[in-house]
Amino acid sequence: MKQTPLVALAIATVGSIGGTRLSAIAIPWLVLSTTNSPLLTGLAGLAEMLPYVLAKALSGPFIDRLGARRIAIWCDWLSAAAVSIIPLLYLAGMLSVWLLLPAVAVLGILRAPSDAAKQALVPEVAETGKLSLERVTGILGTSNRLAGTLGAAGAGVLIASLGAGPALFANAAAFVISALALVFGLRTVSTPTTESGGPIFGNYRAQMAEGWAAFSRDPILVALVAMLAFTGLFDQAYATVLLPVWVRSAGLDASWVGILLAVFSGAAIAGAALGAIFAERLPRLAMYIIGFIFAGPVPMATLAFSSALWLIVPVLLASGLAAGFLNPIIGALLFERIPKPVVGRVIALVGSLTWVLIPFGGIYAGLLTDATGILTALAVTAALYCIAALSPAIIPAFRTIGSRPRVRPAN
């Protein structure tokens, strides 16, 4: 069946992203509940995200040389093993913050190539199924949002019932599901690999330079990455520190971190599904700006100025619906503009550069919360996020994102 690879990639996305979302809630909550320190909670996020960003930037030539499918499968298997170490140490009574930090660093190193490789599979999956990039990225965006919902909701339930440590076994199981989906569902997808007569490390620097050149000469890609880097910083601050601290300050238990994230992600599933259908016909720039306004500033400002769940939950539903339209737009922009021969390298570079500030999101939020209190920290972050979200309206490069260029050759 022509659509089998797309279904398999969607399942792999749900498995790996859902498991990652679970650990993104469980690990910070584990640190926060044992240390009561927002700063150490942010440090745990830094320990995973900084190696993730570096590994993603360096993985591109390997993806193009060895094939995206192969890299994604092996990294998912190894991620399942790596994340299992944390609950095993916890159950053995040996887990401390200083053992947790290197464990999550290894997890970040393994997750990065897997995430980049799955994204690099998109053009070939679209071509195999004879589907538009907006349709494929919209479906995968829906899968991503579904994964976020299941991961967040599952995290809340598992943490409340089992504890944050044992809950991470579910993350390992999710990586196994992802690997199996790629093994059996993408057999017919052959991703292009870089031809070279020498050993894999022989022309690594030249391959990296080629990927950088393809990225840097496209002003839309450069502007997109710059904006996503700042919004990523604030998203990470919200998910790993601001929301958990707000939940505790409101007298709620850990399940509400998962519930509130799941409400947003659940609505974003519907938004991404609608985006897959209608994104080709909507004004990209307007939807892009609106999506980001609702993705961050609106939820953060609501939490800063109200603790009423009857107001917060509907706002998160509306915000998630609007934010869901971002996935098809961003995904289509990337794959329309990246030459096929360097797709792995450019996707890895874009992924790492957009995440370059994420490792510092928890530290930023921890320091700001310690200095000003949680409500002020939420309000300040909402204002800064809003500035970033509105920047496309004044950046000249963004004015042409509605056009759909033919992908250029690598040179």
Side-chain angles (χ1 to χ4, degrees):
M1 292 177 61
K2 288 183 178 180
Q3 306 310 321
T4 297
L6 177 57
V7 173
L9 187 56
I11 292 172
T13 298
V14 171
S16 61
I17 299 299
T20 297
R21 176 59 65 89
L22 186 152
S23 67
I25 296 172
I27 291 173
W29 190 267
L30 178 62
V31 176
L32 185 62
S33 61
T34 55
T35 67
N36 289 314
S37 171
L39 184 57
L40 284 177
T41 303
L43 185 60
L46 174 67
E48 181 178 5
M49 288 298 102
L50 186 57
Y52 178 98
V53 169
L54 295 174
K56 202 169 199 179
L58 298 173
S59 66
F62 295 98
I63 294 171
D64 284 333
R65 181 66 182 269
L66 299 176
R69 176 176 176 268
R70 184 183 301 174
I71 292 291
I73 290 170
W74 276 105
C75 286
D76 279 348
W77 287 127
L78 293 172
S79 294
V83 77
S84 298
I85 294 173
I86 299 172
L88 289 174
L89 288 173
Y90 177 85
L91 293 175
M94 300 171 58
L95 186 65
S96 68
V97 170
W98 309 114
L99 287 177
L100 178 65
L101 297 182
V104 298
V106 171
L107 183 59
I109 291 170
L110 293 171
R111 276 184 48 217
S114 177
D115 289 351
K118 289 186 183 74
Q119 198 172 6
L121 284 164
V122 167
E124 299 306 317
V125 167
E127 186 173 326
T128 300
K130 301 187 184 305
L131 297 169
S132 70
L133 286 171
E134 282 95 345
R135 183 64 52 87
V136 173
T137 55
I139 291 171
L140 294 177
T142 303
S143 301
N144 194 315
R145 297 295 186 176
L146 175 62
T149 302
L150 295 176
V157 173
L158 290 173
I159 293 171
S161 58
L162 301 177
L168 291 168
F169 280 124
N171 190 2
F175 280 122
V176 170
I177 292 171
S178 176
L180 291 174
L182 296 173
V183 168
F184 294 106
L186 271 73
R187 289 175 174 172
T188 60
V189 173
S190 178
T191 53
T193 56
T194 301
E195 296 294 334
S196 175
I200 188 168
F201 295 102
N203 59 351
Y204 180 87
R205 182 180 297 179
Q207 291 178 18
M208 284 291 290
E210 187 180 6
W212 176 261
F215 161 73
S216 62
R217 65 174 171 242
D218 190 314
I220 289 182
L221 290 182
V222 173
L224 178 70
V225 163
M227 177 185 171
L228 292 178
F230 283 100
T231 59
L233 169 75
F234 302 133
D235 286 333
Q236 179 75 356
Y238 174 75
T240 61
V241 177
L242 297 178
L243 182 59
V245 173
W246 183 89
V247 165
R248 291 195 78 193
S249 69
L252 304 172
D253 63 38
S255 65
W256 278 98
V257 178
I259 290 170
L260 294 177
L261 289 174
V263 166
F264 180 92
S265 295
I269 293 172
L274 291 172
I277 299 170
F278 299 111
E280 297 174 78
R281 289 169 277 176
L282 294 172
R284 277 185 177 178
L285 181 58
M287 294 306 301
Y288 185 84
I289 294 173
I290 292 169
F292 272 108
I293 291 291
F294 280 92
V298 171
M300 293 179 192
T302 303
L303 292 179
F305 294 104
S306 176
S307 61
L309 291 175
W310 62 265
L311 173 63
I312 292 168
V313 170
V315 167
L316 290 177
L317 284 170
S319 297
L321 185 67
F325 278 80
L326 290 171
N327 293 84
I329 295 172
I330 294 172
L333 276 172
L334 290 176
F335 293 112
E336 286 169 359
R337 312 189 75 84
I338 299 174
K340 277 190 177 182
V342 294
V343 67
R345 278 163 281 176
V346 178
I347 282 295
L349 281 171
V350 167
S352 63
L353 291 172
T354 55
W355 284 51
V356 72
L357 296 180
I358 285 180
F360 306 100
I363 298 295
Y364 153 82
L367 291 172
L368 184 61
T369 301
D370 280 344
T372 67
I374 183 58
L375 299 184
T376 301
L378 280 164
V380 168
T381 305
L384 294 174
Y385 199 128
C386 191
I387 293 171
L390 292 172
S391 64
I394 60 173
I395 296 176
F398 275 105
R399 296 172 189 168
T400 61
I401 69 172
S403 62
R404 290 166 168 79
R406 295 178 61 88
V407 175
R408 300 161 303 192
N411 294 304

